[in-house]
Amino acid sequence: MDAHDDETGGTRRGPRTAGEEPPVRPEPPLGVEPPLGAEPPFGSEPASFEREVHRSAPPAQLPSAARLAELRRRYGRGELVESELPGDPLVLFHTWLADALAEKVPEPNAMVVATVGADGVPSARTVLLKGLDERGFVFYTNYGSAKAADLDAHPKAALVFPWHAMERQVRVTGPAARVSREESAAYFASRPLESRLGAWASPQSQVVADRESLDRAYAETAERFAGIEDVPLPDFWGGYRVRPEVVEFWQGRQGRMHDRVRYRRTDEDWITERLAP
Ligand SMILES: Cc1cc2nc3c(=O)[nH]c(=O)nc-3n(C[C@H](O)[C@H](O)[C@H](O)COP(=O)(O)O)c2cc1C
Ligand SMILES: Cc1ncc(COP(=O)(O)O)c(CN)c1O
């Protein structure tokens, strides 16, 4: 199936007509890129990226400021057509997530979560979307982390799904609340053992003395739970659910005249509006 099929929720992709410019100018390599893909087992040799980037001279091809200014892409893969949009933004979100999966976008469930601290300072970081239903978008984290302190002070979040390969972005805002302990426990139990141990071992967002102290904490945790299959959910770890109140879909178009459609929740329905790019 065409990932941008007309039937799949208000988006279109058509063949490019003759005479149009190609959508993407080939870009020369920009130097060392970190490897994507599987995480090496805990405690294994550092990836070559670490050796190259942190232990040797800078790569010869660092982009100059002038090169950065020239970096741009011409978008034109699809369109958002109001008359074809589903009434529920989660229907369109599911279609777009399925498209990103089908195109093998790396970490298609990665999203940036922005929060506001008690001091009013914003923070943003990437997390993984681990659950989605009509109640909202769920991610898991340490309840002692900086983001959790922010959400305690201001229980609202903004999410961004940066699907660059698809020339798409989705933004979500709404109130954030902790999920139930049962839900967190069920998710925690599904994680690989090494990640469950990592959750116990890491005082997320705290300053630590050095790498060795982290490695020691992990080894001590592994020892403490040795032979125990059901490493329990720490009481300082769990999920947050962001209830979507506003959901904006962005599809890149030519001339920077992109399509933006914003859904706003009303008492019983959603209002859709087109925004200028
Ligand atoms: C691709 C990616 C996925 C991540 N997923 C999570 C996640 O699901 N939960 C989490 O707590 N941290 C995750 N992190 C780490 C966070 O970005 C961040 O470093 C950490 O949560 C501490 O953030 P804080 O100090 O603002 O609370 C992820 C990082 C990346 C790059
Ligand atoms: C610290 C941390 N916690 C939680 C997660 C959530 O993902 P998973 O449960 O798959 O480890 C991640 C993902 N990178 C993470 O880095």
Side-chain angles (χ1 to χ4, degrees):
M1 187 189 77
D2 184 335
H4 300 250
D5 217 332
D6 273 0
E7 274 85 42
T8 58
T11 58
R12 271 190 193 162
R13 180 171 66 181
R16 206 164 297 283
T17 46
E20 275 184 272
E21 281 177 56
V24 178
R25 197 148 36 108
E27 283 156 5
L30 283 175
V32 177
E33 280 186 14
L36 296 168
E39 213 177 287
F42 187 85
S44 64
E45 273 295 288
S48 59
F49 159 68
E50 190 180 329
R51 281 195 298 275
E52 284 171 34
V53 172
H54 301 296
R55 298 189 192 157
S56 61
Q61 286 189 57
L62 270 182
S64 67
R67 278 285 320 281
L68 284 177
E70 287 165 17
L71 285 177
R72 62 174 64 86
R73 238 171 108 134
R74 185 167 183 268
Y75 308 119
R77 284 191 57 172
E79 319 176 352
L80 272 169
V81 181
E82 277 99 329
S83 61
E84 297 168 9
L85 291 174
D88 182 342
L90 292 191
V91 172
L92 184 53
F93 183 86
H94 275 290
T95 302
W96 280 26
L97 182 58
D99 290 347
L101 277 162
E103 286 232 1
K104 303 199 169 10
V105 167
E107 306 222 61
N109 60 331
M111 58 186 188
V112 175
V113 178
T115 55
V116 179
D119 53 4
V121 177
S123 299
R125 77 292 285 156
T126 310
V127 300
L128 297 180
L129 177 69
K130 292 290 176 163
L132 176 61
D133 59 24
E134 66 293 342
R135 294 171 299 164
F137 295 73
V138 177
F139 65 91
Y140 289 91
T141 194
N142 187 310
Y143 287 150
S145 67
K147 73 181 85 52
D150 285 4
L151 289 171
D152 288 344
H154 290 295
K156 290 200 175 223
L159 313 175
V160 180
F161 291 85
W163 291 322
H164 303 296
M166 316 294 299
E167 303 179 357
R168 285 173 172 173
Q169 167 181 265
V170 178
R171 300 166 62 184
V172 177
T173 48
R178 294 184 181 191
V179 308
S180 71
R181 292 315 283 159
E182 294 70 35
E183 194 173 344
S184 290
Y187 175 69
F188 192 75
S190 77
R191 303 178 82 216
L193 175 63
E194 64 177 18
S195 311
R196 281 178 280 151
L197 294 174
W200 275 101
S202 168
Q204 192 177 57
S205 314
Q206 301 300 309
V207 174
V208 293
D210 47 25
R211 178 72 220 186
E212 285 64 39
S213 64
L214 280 176
D215 292 345
R216 220 176 311 115
Y218 187 90
E220 284 164 13
T221 306
E223 190 145 314
R224 174 176 162 203
F225 290 109
I228 300 172
E229 246 321 291
D230 299 328
V231 174
L233 172 70
D235 57 12
F236 56 81
W237 201 93
Y240 283 97
R241 175 175 282 110
V242 179
R243 174 180 148 87
E245 282 186 340
V246 180
V247 185
E248 184 202 311
F249 295 86
W250 181 99
Q251 176 80 59
R253 300 283 304 269
Q254 291 172 16
R256 300 318 194 209
M257 293 297 282
H258 316 301
D259 285 329
R260 296 177 67 190
V261 172
R262 180 177 67 190
Y263 287 74
R264 279 191 295 130
R265 194 190 279 281
T266 63
D267 282 345
E268 68 276 357
D269 215 347
W270 293 91
I271 291 174
T272 58
E273 292 157 319
R274 177 173 285 268
L275 301 177

